[in-house]
Amino acid sequence: MSKRIIYECSVKIDDLDFSVLLDDNYCGHSIPSSIHDHPAFEAHFVQTGQYTLQIDRGKLQLSGGTGCVIKPSIYHSVFPEEQDTVKYCFKFYSFSQSTLLSQIMKSEKWKDGIFIYDQISDEMRMMQQILYEFEHRAIGYQMSIDNLFSQLLLTVIRKIIDIRHPKGTPIQDPDNEVLVNVIDEYLYRNYMKNISLSDVAQHLKVSERQVNRLMLNLYGSSFKQKIIQIRLIAAKNMLLQDKHATQAQISEAVGYNDPYYFAKVFKETTGMTPDEFRKASNCSQTTLLLIKQDSNTSI
Amino acid sequence: MSKRIIYECSVKIDDLDFSVLLDDNYCGHSIPSSIHDHPAFEAHFVQTGQYTLQIDRGKLQLSGGTGCVIKPSIYHSVFPEEQDTVKYCFKFYSFSQSTLLSQIMKSEKWKDGIFIYDQISDEMRMMQQILYEFEHRAIGYQMSIDNLFSQLLLTVIRKIIDIRHPKGTPIQDPDNEVLVNVIDEYLYRNYMKNISLSDVAQHLKVSERQVNRLMLNLYGSSFKQKIIQIRLIAAKNMLLQDKHATQAQISEAVGYNDPYYFAKVFKETTGMTPDEFRKASNCSQTTLLLIKQDSNTSI
């Protein structure tokens, strides 16, 4: 018998916020349903057996190993055909405007408001893992369920819109992928030097304004933000790794001439100075050693 | 050749906040490293070949299919033994106090500060998927990487502490699992009735105070919060599913005698009245239809 599960979680993909709703029809035998529509997407993954999806224009046969997404407001009903039909099913919806959502709605993969596909082994694995998490309630199970739904919806959405692009990139332009690689390569090779926007512009042979516009499109952040991000990760890495490196050495190693300016940027971004970061990390060690002494954790 | 990747993300598991740091040693051939220690955990997953981990007390051989976590501040160094040794490696750290962290540190699975295990197929799959996401930058790739690291760390941590318990539960008590099931069963079967704390107490044959303490431990929320949560999910489900149900009908169906009180609770929790929720859902349909008309999405 299927277990009664009632759950809600949020999934954020780019500019799109989905709510996922599970009712007690989530997993198990398929139950016949009368014809209905609703303003949520509905996803079905058939594990074994088969059932018929009745929609406006006719009937669709879904058998084991088939995935199916029904668009919002499509009238549908379900008839299981075999006793042992087992499926996973859930609804997801978004009420806010989103570019990604409009892309999903416009996809050519929908036929009469239904998207049917096979090769759902990843999806099945995740659906089963979600059920396992519900039943076992091991440590961190709620985070795990939320993560699994995020991954699951992302997998499905990528099949519906079938495009790859970093956030904000013009979708039609395949050159952007090459561009990201060129800029990445340049930044990661040179962040330790005193590079500026104009160096990147020269490297790419375009104007500085174009570089900044490009980077905003490709990464969602400006040259300045991106280079700070890369440098600070490198700095944290050094602070964790090398106990003896001075602030001046680290500052120089990650591309800042002025250690005070480096410390200022570090503090603004992480809330700690480099020294505080290092002390916190040593401190947490001491705490851990102390915690290690007392043996019982009761509530 | 390994690709240079520099990345940082946060992972929250129960009361534990981890930062995950990737440097350009994330994936690929194992590079010899001189002996060092740092206040972060370090995880290694060997795909092929083998290498030797030198620690204080001696040498450890790691071969393909082996996972290894090194505790913070354990001196270690790495020697690859074969040309084709390929591994994944990353660091993670937390500077804040946490019950979960102290449980991890106290685990008996550590031997000389190292935890070695096999059966890492889940971990390998996730590490490879992370690399794939980095290289392909398909839509939603950043969310996907963050999710994958969350799942990966959760998988590893569960192997280190090997306990299952809902948030806040006394770990040593296996009866809690049974209790969660008993309370769940009761709540999900009866939320549509006008049940109170005292009903649950009678059902469990304990005092009301004990029920509330239990529920805070088991769910991290009081009876009142938990029953509202279950009822509102059921209500949203009905609002999405059944266009013609009135607010009074839904209110009654999910266990509220007073539709105005139901609307008040709904508004407090979701920021919309039930009617607004339904209108938003219909509205979003209209919006989607309108969006569908214009064909080009450029930035």
Side-chain angles (χ1 to χ4, degrees):
Chain A
M1 280 302 298
S2 69
K3 215 191 152 180
R4 185 177 266 243
I5 294 169
I6 299 188
Y7 196 76
E8 185 178 21
C9 68
S10 299
V11 172
K12 190 172 171 58
I13 306 173
D14 281 9
D15 69 341
L16 175 51
D17 278 301
F18 270 133
S19 295
V20 178
L21 266 186
L22 295 193
D23 55 30
D24 52 3
N25 194 25
Y26 167 63
C27 164
H29 301 293
S30 184
I31 304 158
S33 72
S34 57
I35 196 138
H36 65 290
D37 76 326
H38 49 71
F41 293 87
E42 195 170 296
H44 291 251
F45 300 98
V46 189
Q47 183 166 322
T48 56
Q50 66 174 20
Y51 58 90
T52 305
L53 201 66
Q54 168 91 50
I55 52 164
D56 249 12
R57 310 246 180 125
K59 289 180 180 185
L60 289 165
Q61 209 81 282
L62 303 180
S63 51
T66 308
C68 162
V69 184
I70 305 170
K71 256 187 175 177
S73 298
I74 298 292
Y75 277 95
H76 60 279
S77 65
V78 167
F79 308 98
E81 304 218 326
E82 292 169 19
Q83 263 292 303
D84 62 346
T85 299
V86 173
K87 60 94 193 57
Y88 295 88
C89 171
F90 63 92
K91 287 201 273 284
F92 54 103
Y93 62 92
S94 175
F95 295 162
S96 45
Q97 292 212 14
S98 134
T99 314
L100 181 54
L101 187 57
S102 77
Q103 285 163 21
I104 294 170
M105 295 303 285
K106 280 191 294 190
S107 166
E108 287 172 6
K109 300 280 183 81
W110 302 107
K111 304 282 173 238
D112 298 332
I114 314 270
F115 171 54
I116 294 185
Y117 67 107
D118 50 13
Q119 296 189 307
I120 57 166
S121 58
D122 280 346
E123 287 87 333
M124 282 318 274
R125 180 178 50 72
M126 289 187 268
M127 299 300 286
Q128 283 158 1
Q129 219 175 323
I130 288 168
L131 195 68
Y132 179 91
E133 293 287 352
F134 268 118
E135 284 176 347
H136 288 77
R137 297 163 173 276
I139 206 158
Y141 77 99
Q142 295 193 353
M143 179 203 79
S144 183
I145 291 170
D146 293 358
N147 277 339
L148 285 163
F149 268 116
S150 294
Q151 287 300 106
L152 182 63
L153 276 191
L154 189 61
T155 307
V156 175
I157 285 167
R158 284 175 175 175
K159 284 175 182 168
I160 295 174
I161 53 179
D162 202 14
I163 43 167
R164 67 171 74 154
H165 75 115
K167 198 172 175 178
T169 315
I171 298 142
Q172 288 80 2
D173 192 350
D175 295 342
N176 280 322
E177 225 181 299
V178 182
L179 259 178
V180 168
N181 287 336
V182 172
I183 301 184
D184 265 17
E185 183 77 18
Y186 186 79
L187 294 179
Y188 286 119
R189 273 193 196 285
N190 296 290
Y191 71 86
M192 58 296 279
K193 300 174 197 162
N194 185 24
I195 53 167
S196 67
L197 185 59
S198 106
D199 296 316
V200 185
Q202 277 183 20
H203 182 70
L204 294 177
K205 299 182 177 57
V206 295
S207 76
E208 292 184 23
R209 229 181 54 178
Q210 276 174 298
V211 174
N212 243 345
R213 197 173 48 80
L214 255 174
M215 292 190 65
L216 278 171
N217 289 340
L218 296 171
Y219 300 107
S221 51
S222 67
F223 167 78
K224 200 180 158 189
Q225 290 166 325
K226 184 73 185 170
I227 198 85
I228 287 178
Q229 192 194 347
I230 296 175
R231 284 172 171 166
L232 288 195
I233 294 174
K236 284 184 196 169
N237 219 1
M238 276 190 78
L239 283 163
L240 285 176
Q241 191 89 28
D242 186 347
K243 283 180 179 174
H244 308 294
T246 64
Q247 185 166 304
Q249 283 169 332
I250 293 173
S251 164
E252 202 194 326
V254 303
Y256 287 104
N257 292 331
D258 179 354
Y260 298 104
Y261 181 68
F262 161 67
K264 186 169 161 277
V265 173
F266 194 98
K267 168 112 192 184
E268 275 169 11
T269 315
T270 65
M272 289 186 251
T273 66
D275 273 345
E276 283 164 356
F277 183 87
R278 182 180 262 150
K279 267 182 206 137
S281 72
N282 289 328
C283 232
S284 83
Q285 279 324 105
T286 323
T287 318
L288 291 175
L289 289 172
L290 289 174
I291 290 169
K292 221 177 157 180
Q293 309 303 319
D294 67 57
S295 53
N296 270 320
T297 318
S298 56
I299 52 138
Chain B
M1 279 300 299
S2 70
K3 211 190 156 183
R4 186 176 265 242
I5 293 169
I6 300 189
Y7 195 76
E8 185 177 23
C9 68
S10 299
V11 171
K12 189 171 171 60
I13 307 173
D14 282 9
D15 68 342
L16 175 52
D17 278 300
F18 270 133
S19 294
V20 179
L21 266 186
L22 296 193
D23 54 31
D24 53 2
N25 195 25
Y26 168 63
C27 165
H29 300 292
S30 184
I31 303 158
S33 73
S34 58
I35 196 139
H36 64 290
D37 76 325
H38 49 71
F41 292 86
E42 195 171 296
H44 291 251
F45 300 97
V46 190
Q47 183 165 322
T48 55
Q50 66 174 21
Y51 58 90
T52 305
L53 200 66
Q54 168 92 48
I55 52 164
D56 248 12
R57 311 246 181 126
K59 289 180 178 183
L60 288 166
Q61 210 80 281
L62 302 180
S63 50
T66 307
C68 162
V69 184
I70 305 170
K71 258 187 173 175
S73 296
I74 298 291
Y75 276 95
H76 61 277
S77 65
V78 167
F79 309 100
E81 304 216 328
E82 293 170 18
Q83 264 291 305
D84 62 345
T85 300
V86 173
K87 60 94 193 58
Y88 295 88
C89 171
F90 63 93
K91 288 202 272 285
F92 55 101
Y93 63 91
S94 174
F95 295 163
S96 45
Q97 291 212 13
S98 133
T99 314
L100 181 54
L101 187 56
S102 76
Q103 286 162 20
I104 294 170
M105 295 302 284
K106 279 190 296 188
S107 165
E108 287 171 7
K109 299 281 183 78
W110 301 107
K111 304 284 174 236
D112 298 331
I114 315 272
F115 171 54
I116 294 184
Y117 68 107
D118 51 12
Q119 296 190 309
I120 57 167
S121 58
D122 280 345
E123 286 87 333
M124 283 318 275
R125 180 179 48 73
M126 289 187 267
M127 298 301 285
Q128 284 158 2
Q129 219 174 323
I130 288 167
L131 194 69
Y132 179 91
E133 293 285 352
F134 268 117
E135 285 176 347
H136 288 75
R137 296 163 175 278
I139 205 159
Y141 77 99
Q142 294 193 353
M143 179 202 79
S144 183
I145 292 170
D146 293 358
N147 276 340
L148 285 163
F149 268 117
S150 294
Q151 288 299 106
L152 182 63
L153 276 190
L154 189 61
T155 306
V156 175
I157 285 166
R158 283 175 175 174
K159 285 176 181 167
I160 296 175
I161 54 179
D162 202 14
I163 44 167
R164 67 171 75 153
H165 76 114
K167 198 171 176 178
T169 315
I171 298 142
Q172 289 80 1
D173 194 351
D175 294 343
N176 280 321
E177 223 181 299
V178 181
L179 260 179
V180 168
N181 287 336
V182 172
I183 301 184
D184 265 17
E185 182 78 17
Y186 187 79
L187 294 180
Y188 286 119
R189 272 193 195 286
N190 294 290
Y191 71 86
M192 58 296 280
K193 300 175 197 162
N194 184 23
I195 53 167
S196 66
L197 185 58
S198 107
D199 295 316
V200 186
Q202 276 184 20
H203 182 71
L204 294 177
K205 297 182 178 57
V206 295
S207 76
E208 291 183 23
R209 229 181 54 178
Q210 277 174 297
V211 174
N212 242 344
R213 195 171 50 78
L214 256 172
M215 291 190 64
L216 278 171
N217 289 340
L218 296 170
Y219 299 108
S221 51
S222 66
F223 166 77
K224 201 179 156 189
Q225 290 166 325
K226 183 74 186 168
I227 198 84
I228 286 179
Q229 191 194 348
I230 295 174
R231 283 173 171 163
L232 288 195
I233 293 174
K236 284 184 196 169
N237 219 2
M238 277 190 78
L239 282 163
L240 286 176
Q241 192 90 27
D242 186 348
K243 283 180 178 172
H244 308 293
T246 64
Q247 185 166 303
Q249 284 168 332
I250 293 173
S251 163
E252 202 195 327
V254 303
Y256 287 104
N257 292 332
D258 178 354
Y260 298 104
Y261 181 67
F262 160 67
K264 186 170 163 275
V265 173
F266 194 98
K267 167 112 194 185
E268 276 170 10
T269 315
T270 65
M272 288 186 250
T273 66
D275 273 345
E276 283 165 357
F277 183 87
R278 182 180 262 149
K279 267 182 208 138
S281 72
N282 290 328
C283 231
S284 82
Q285 280 323 105
T286 324
T287 317
L288 292 175
L289 289 172
L290 289 174
I291 291 170
K292 219 175 159 181
Q293 309 304 321
D294 67 59
S295 54
N296 270 318
T297 317
S298 55
I299 51 136

